Amino acid sequence: MLVVENLSHAYGTGTHRHLALKDISFSVNEGELVSIVGPSGCGKTTLLRAMAGLMPPTGGQIRFLGEPITGVPGGLAMVFQDYRGSLFPWLTVGDNVRFPLHTAKLGKAEVAERVGESLAAVGLTNFEGRYPTQLSGGMQQRAAIARALAYRPKILLMDEPFASVDAQTREDLEDLVLQVRDRFNMTILFVTHDIDESVYLADRVVVLSKPPTYVLTTLDIDLPRPRDQIMTKELPEFIHLRSDVARLIRRPDTSELAVTS
Amino acid sequence: MSAGTRADTSGTSIAVRSTKYLSRIALRWVVLVALIGSWQLATVNLSSPYWVPPFTIIRRVAELWLTSGEGILSTSMAQDVLPSLARMLGGFLLAMVLAIVVGVAIGLSDAFGDYVDPILQFLRAAPPPALIPVFLVVFGTGDQTRVSLIAFGAAWPILLNTIEGVRSIESIKYETSAVFRIPLRLRLTHIVLPGAASKILAGIRTSLSIGLILMVISEMVASSSGIGFRIVQAQRSFALVDMWAGILLLAILGYLLNQVLTVVERRILRWHRLAGHETS
């Protein structure tokens, strides 16, 4: 569904040229939840912006549904880390969710149905008439997720969506992602710097190196579903997987050594 | 959260709260009333033709506005207030439309801003009253001159605030709308304008008083009607009560226009208030 081939990106030119992404290739198949994890500053946001068509990369290609991405493609939605900035404070929660549907040429009844359904899926049914700033951070991010759901995207990109909420809220929101994914059969690409989060959510984890960034490895996550914050995380497989990822990110070149020592 | 605290305070008796409210209003007005009272006493005792007692002025205002002349509108209403208001609002609306359109364009496009910035800085530096002769030459002595002078002077605060307001919108708002493929028209009406609204309205508030000033000045210089004309006329014919009445009338008008704007502002910035921001 989404194929990234030899993607590279450099900022600036000449002596000021800074190679952020060196060589990135991976793909996301329909119905998969793939997470991308890497050290801070590894160009995750650059990668995501390129995939969303917000910024043309300087090298390589991204194809979405077979078509090369040149601008923002249809059927793609995004949930940003900065929910406060991403929601429109002058629109109510309901209107925020409704706003992207203006262009979809839907009947009033269908718009109302989608908005209601999406708000219900994130547990914000009773907050439709509130303004975003009247809600807590976690609830604002729920509203942003509802907005993406109502848009019915073919793929949902999530850019470190829970990096600025507290730990408890974060776990709730992670489970919310898993729930809506099952319910709406979604394909999700989840970018995070949190190793536990990447393993807990995903079918597959793409591990990125420090910049200039390349793909260190791709791990299949065969943990049983449905996943549970406590039970899944105490499984030996989970602990192994998260440790593998952690070693790769800490010391990519000496990871073999670290395993044996 | 806020609903909870509100519910808590509703326990205190309504009587106590309304007494507090009334005493606050009384405090506000008591100074003004005392001032007018002592002014009245002083001027009555002085009985100088130049210092007119306030109640005489107030009576004259009521007369001019409500009872003099025939027909539904008083002569003063028809000949001075309405023409003045029409010029003021005409110029003001023109300023608003021009300033917001140009301001949005500059705010969105740095390149366009760079092109027009020197021209704007230069024009802005010229005090509008000094341009009255130019406007008279270009537009003649009709209302065109007055309306365009008001528009010229009132446009600046709105323009500068619009530019600042548009520039203050975070880029993530545009990225979000790009991801959801929101068309340009909707981006303008649903993101750019509301995002800049509080700044634009602050500019409009400043412009309102500038518009009023320019209205009076333009009417004093070259006009045969309007409140400004009436004030100068009264002063020249030693009708000092009428002069003071004209000034008081202007003050009332300015106050009312400001009140109207406050209501409009509260309406538009409802979300802003609910978010706990102060709207000045």
Side-chain angles (χ1 to χ4, degrees):
Chain A
M1 167 168 273
L2 184 81
V3 183
V4 178
E5 286 172 338
N6 304 111
L7 188 80
S8 64
H9 189 77
Y11 290 104
T13 50
T15 48
H16 297 291
R17 192 176 141 94
H18 164 67
L19 189 63
L21 305 177
K22 192 165 87 180
D23 182 10
I24 299 195
S25 299
F26 68 91
S27 63
V28 183
N29 302 318
E30 188 164 355
E32 261 188 327
L33 200 168
V34 174
S35 61
I36 296 182
V37 67
S40 327
C42 75
K44 296 186 287 278
T45 299
T46 307
L47 177 61
L48 214 57
R49 283 170 54 85
M51 285 189 287
L54 292 170
M55 176 205 75
T58 51
Q61 186 180 237
I62 304 167
R63 277 181 290 125
F64 177 55
L65 301 170
E67 297 288 314
I69 285 185
T70 46
V72 178
L76 178 147
M78 190 147 157
V79 172
F80 295 86
Q81 177 185 344
D82 180 10
Y83 45 80
R84 210 176 300 274
S86 167
L87 290 171
F88 301 110
W90 44 84
L91 299 179
T92 60
V93 168
D95 285 338
N96 263 289
V97 175
R98 201 171 287 115
F99 186 47
L101 305 181
H102 273 305
T103 47
K105 295 197 173 68
L106 301 169
K108 267 200 168 155
E110 196 180 346
V111 168
E113 192 199 310
R114 279 205 201 179
V115 171
E117 184 190 47
S118 309
L119 286 174
V122 302
L124 285 182
T125 301
N126 296 325
F127 296 90
E128 186 171 350
R130 295 287 190 95
Y131 287 92
T133 40
Q134 294 177 294
L135 308 182
S136 69
M139 284 161 91
Q140 288 183 37
Q141 194 56 296
R142 281 170 191 266
I145 293 171
R147 178 172 65 185
L149 293 178
Y151 191 64
R152 299 267 168 90
K154 296 239 177 356
I155 191 166
L156 175 62
L157 307 183
M158 304 186 86
D159 181 13
E160 303 200 30
F162 311 139
S164 34
V165 296
D166 63 83
Q168 184 61 53
T169 308
R170 183 181 192 127
E171 293 190 349
D172 292 345
L173 289 171
E174 284 165 8
D175 290 336
L176 177 74
V177 168
L178 294 177
Q179 275 166 33
V180 298
R181 182 226 181 175
D182 286 345
R183 180 155 163 204
F184 296 93
N185 275 324
M186 299 190 71
T187 309
I188 300 177
L189 183 66
F190 192 102
V191 173
T192 179
H193 65 256
D194 184 312
I195 294 162
D196 286 23
E197 185 172 76
S198 70
V199 174
Y200 177 70
L201 291 174
D203 299 317
R204 213 137 47 80
V205 177
V206 178
V207 186
L208 299 181
S209 72
K210 283 187 189 139
T213 309
Y214 57 96
V215 176
L216 286 169
T217 189
T218 304
L219 295 171
D220 286 321
I221 310 292
D222 294 324
L223 298 170
R225 289 188 187 270
R227 293 186 184 162
D228 178 274
Q229 288 288 355
I230 294 163
M231 278 173 350
T232 302
K233 286 181 178 173
E234 67 190 1
L235 291 173
E237 299 95 303
F238 177 87
I239 295 166
H240 275 136
L241 282 164
R242 60 109 30 228
S243 306
D244 285 351
V245 175
R247 271 187 206 102
L248 282 164
I249 287 178
R250 289 273 163 79
R251 269 183 272 174
D253 305 321
T254 55
S255 56
E256 308 285 327
L257 247 164
V259 173
T260 49
S261 66
Chain B
M1 244 185 332
S2 59
T5 48
R6 225 173 281 145
D8 293 340
T9 51
S10 70
T12 54
S13 92
I14 293 166
V16 170
R17 273 196 299 158
S18 55
T19 321
K20 267 188 183 169
Y21 183 64
L22 283 178
S23 64
R24 252 182 58 201
I25 290 187
L27 261 177
R28 271 195 194 177
W29 289 93
V30 75
V31 179
L32 183 69
V33 170
L35 200 70
I36 294 176
S38 36
W39 182 9
Q40 175 77 15
L41 280 177
T43 45
V44 164
N45 289 325
L46 198 66
S47 67
S48 145
Y50 301 109
W51 300 103
V52 183
F55 284 108
T56 316
I57 302 171
I58 293 168
R59 212 174 304 128
R60 185 69 183 135
V61 168
E63 228 171 75
L64 284 172
W65 271 32
L66 306 171
T67 53
S68 75
E70 306 107 43
I72 305 166
L73 293 172
S74 68
T75 320
S76 158
M77 239 345 162
Q79 285 182 4
D80 301 329
V81 179
L82 286 187
S84 283
L85 262 181
R87 288 165 195 152
M88 161 78 194
L89 292 181
F92 187 66
L93 286 178
L94 194 64
M96 231 166 71
V97 172
L98 281 176
I100 291 176
V101 169
V102 176
V104 165
I106 295 176
L108 288 178
S109 160
D110 286 342
F112 182 62
D114 288 342
Y115 281 124
V116 295
D117 188 62
I119 307 170
L120 294 181
Q121 294 301 338
F122 184 71
L123 285 176
R124 186 165 75 100
L131 294 174
I132 291 178
V134 181
F135 278 78
L136 281 173
V137 170
V138 177
F139 296 114
T141 52
D143 275 340
Q144 268 186 9
T145 293
R146 287 178 280 276
V147 170
S148 33
L149 184 79
I150 293 166
F152 178 81
W156 300 109
I158 307 180
L159 178 73
L160 298 177
N161 274 280
T162 305
I163 296 172
E164 205 189 314
V166 171
R167 284 190 178 151
S168 72
I169 298 170
E170 313 126 287
S171 59
I172 187 170
K173 297 243 165 11
Y174 299 123
E175 285 186 356
T176 304
S177 59
V179 164
F180 289 111
R181 309 222 289 177
I182 307 292
L184 181 66
R185 187 178 56 79
L186 279 176
R187 285 189 210 188
L188 286 175
T189 55
H190 283 68
I191 297 168
V192 176
L193 286 180
S198 68
K199 285 263 163 58
I200 295 177
L201 281 162
I204 285 177
R205 185 172 289 274
T206 314
S207 287
L208 197 65
S209 43
I210 293 180
L212 209 59
I213 293 168
L214 289 175
M215 176 196 90
V216 179
I217 292 179
S218 70
E219 287 172 350
M220 284 179 165
V221 172
S223 184
S224 54
S225 67
I227 306 171
F229 165 74
R230 198 57 63 190
I231 292 173
V232 176
Q233 192 73 358
Q235 180 251 328
R236 283 181 186 151
S237 51
F238 295 99
L240 292 181
V241 178
D242 282 10
M243 182 193 80
W244 283 109
I247 294 169
L248 180 59
L249 213 148
L250 269 177
I252 294 171
L253 211 61
Y255 179 78
L256 289 179
L257 285 174
N258 214 26
Q259 286 306 105
V260 171
L261 185 63
T262 305
V263 172
V264 173
E265 195 173 352
R266 278 176 168 265
R267 243 281 128 63
I268 295 179
L269 295 184
R270 207 177 100 82
W271 62 272
H272 218 260
R273 265 204 338 283
L274 287 173
H277 299 293
E278 278 297 312
T279 62
S280 57

